[in-house]
Amino acid sequence: MSKTSVNEESVGVLESRMKAFRQHSLNLDLTRGKPSPEQLALSDSLDGILDGDYRLENGTDARNYGGLRGIPEARRLGAQLLETDPDNVIVCGNSSLQAMHLVMDTAMNHGLFHERYSDLGPTRAVVPVPGYDRHFTLTESFGIEMISIPMTATGPDMDALEEVIASDTQCRFLWCVPKYSNPTGCVYDPDTVNRIAALPSKAPGPLLILWDNAYAVHDFDLPKKELAPILTFARDHRTEDSVIMFASTSKITFAGGGIAFIGGSQNTLQAIESRLEVMTIGPDKVNQLRHAKFLNGRLEDHMAAHARILKPKFDAVERCLQQHLGNRDLATWTRPEGGYFVALSTPPGFANQVVAMAATAGLALTPAGATFPYSHDPEDSVIRIAPTFASTSEIETAIEVLAVCLELSIRTGS
Ligand SMILES: Cc1ncc(COP(=O)(O)O)c(C=O)c1O
């Protein structure tokens, strides 16, 4: 595939390049925000690591029922990810999304502390956009209306967010992906974290901060980028019962076979434990033990191994976007220092068309709009690029196709 710059090419040339892409019967996919097989292989020694010894440090048999909050050694791992104390962590099953569902369901239908939100009239949630589509689906599934707030390079637009929170009496949830946000890759700065921690004290009604730290240790370079500790700020603001943190090992070990964590105050954990008690006699402590044995004391080395696989892929995205679209006012894009995504912004009105055109050339992209509530990007401009699963050469070709589709769409003005 040609690496020639598309600078100053005519529509005719772009069309013939599209024709060539189509003739190659490409089968490229930048939709998959999941680890590559090479990344998964980094954790293959999880299998067999217990070697018949199922005893915890404290002598408990991991194979039996019990231990709703999770085993101590896995709680320590969760505490490292969430940068809090092990006492502030519950270890759950294989999915943090499921834990988020549990928390929302508890707050809406059972009452986290006092009243059930469903008894307080219509509930709304604030979502920074672009954001994570599964947060939106989850929120919508509870019949909760979403209010969008623009994302900036340092986190949500805080002035806009504070205004909404102070004035909207029905706003009960705020979604945050504070480090290497999906899809822009931004990291919330300390002032933003502090202002978010203060929000529940300014809200006219109860407000829960859902702090989804899915990419807490997913840095491309060491030392890792620091994220200010929201729970510490929340203690200062006396809002700690209103901040609930989440993380998992889905993108550290096995995406389908990891462990997930909930972090929060003792009051919060007690309320969640009461719901867990109804649902299960205990989590999969065997998998928790495997993970603790595998990761405790070597998490940083393990994440550095991920970074050695991922960084060249993100470098390829940046290099190719720069080569094909750089300095030409055709698009802007983010340059994350970790995480799983790059967000590309086209001029308003082009994202859908570019995604559709790319499909005709054999390149699958996440549907335009997916990173907005109700799948509606009002500007029709954000395209999410997920390069972790593809090979570097596939990424190079995919970005070239994307660039040609974008330029052709803009030049033909349709
Ligand atoms: C921001 C964010 N949160 C949560 C998840 C899913 O986490 P889990 O596999 O623990 O359910 C993802 C997966 O892409 C994600 O991007």
Side-chain angles (χ1 to χ4, degrees), residues 229-353:
I230 187 159
L231 210 52
T232 309
F233 288 148
R235 283 185 193 118
D236 294 342
H237 294 293
R238 298 178 176 281
T239 57
E240 62 183 301
D241 289 346
S242 302
V243 175
I244 309 192
M245 307 187 289
F246 304 90
S248 77
T249 64
S250 290
K251 284 156 187 169
I252 296 175
T253 56
F254 296 154
I259 55 176
F261 309 94
I262 301 176
S265 72
Q266 287 312 318
N267 286 340
T268 307
L269 296 196
Q270 183 52 54
I272 292 166
E273 193 178 353
S274 304
R275 285 305 304 154
L276 278 174
E277 233 159 39
V278 179
M279 299 162 58
T280 175
I281 313 177
D284 177 354
K285 294 192 296 302
V286 175
N287 201 30
Q288 293 185 8
L289 184 58
R290 277 192 209 107
H291 276 78
K293 285 209 166 155
F294 183 61
L295 292 173
N296 280 346
R298 58 174 295 278
L299 181 62
E300 200 170 283
D301 288 349
H302 185 73
M303 294 317 293
H306 277 285
R308 283 194 288 279
I309 296 169
L310 290 182
K311 190 162 189 285
K313 297 187 184 193
F314 281 80
D315 285 348
V317 172
E318 167 60 21
R319 190 176 60 247
C320 296
L321 286 173
Q322 195 58 44
Q323 177 187 349
H324 299 297
L325 298 172
N327 306 318
R328 304 180 60 213
D329 285 339
L330 294 174
T332 57
W333 57 91
T334 57
R335 295 172 176 81
E337 293 171 34
Y340 265 57
F341 305 100
V342 171
L344 177 93
S345 297
T346 71
F350 285 101
N352 262 294
Q353 193 190 335

Side-chain angles (χ1 to χ4, degrees), residues 33 94-97 100 132 135 177 182 212 214-215 248 250-251 341:
N94 75 329
S95 160
S96 61
L97 258 184
M100 294 169 215
Y132 179 37
H135 287 164
V177 182
N182 178 352
D212 178 2
Y215 302 103
S248 77
S250 290
K251 284 156 187 169
F341 305 100

Side-chain angles (χ1 to χ4, degrees), residues 28 70 99 115 130 159 185 209 249 296 386 405:
L28 302 165
E115 63 279 86
D159 291 341
I209 314 288
T249 64
N296 280 346
C405 292

Side-chain angles (χ1 to χ4, degrees), residues 328-401:
R328 304 180 60 213
D329 285 339
L330 294 174
T332 57
W333 57 91
T334 57
R335 295 172 176 81
E337 293 171 34
Y340 265 57
F341 305 100
V342 171
L344 177 93
S345 297
T346 71
F350 285 101
N352 262 294
Q353 193 190 335
V354 171
V355 170
M357 194 187 287
T360 69
L363 168 61
L365 292 164
T366 303
T371 55
F372 289 76
Y374 314 108
S375 302
H376 178 64
D377 172 358
E379 294 266 290
D380 186 22
S381 86
V382 176
I383 296 176
R384 186 181 87 160
I385 298 173
T388 62
F389 197 81
S391 69
T392 303
S393 69
E394 286 170 336
I395 291 167
E396 286 167 354
T397 310
I399 298 294
E400 186 181 351
V401 173

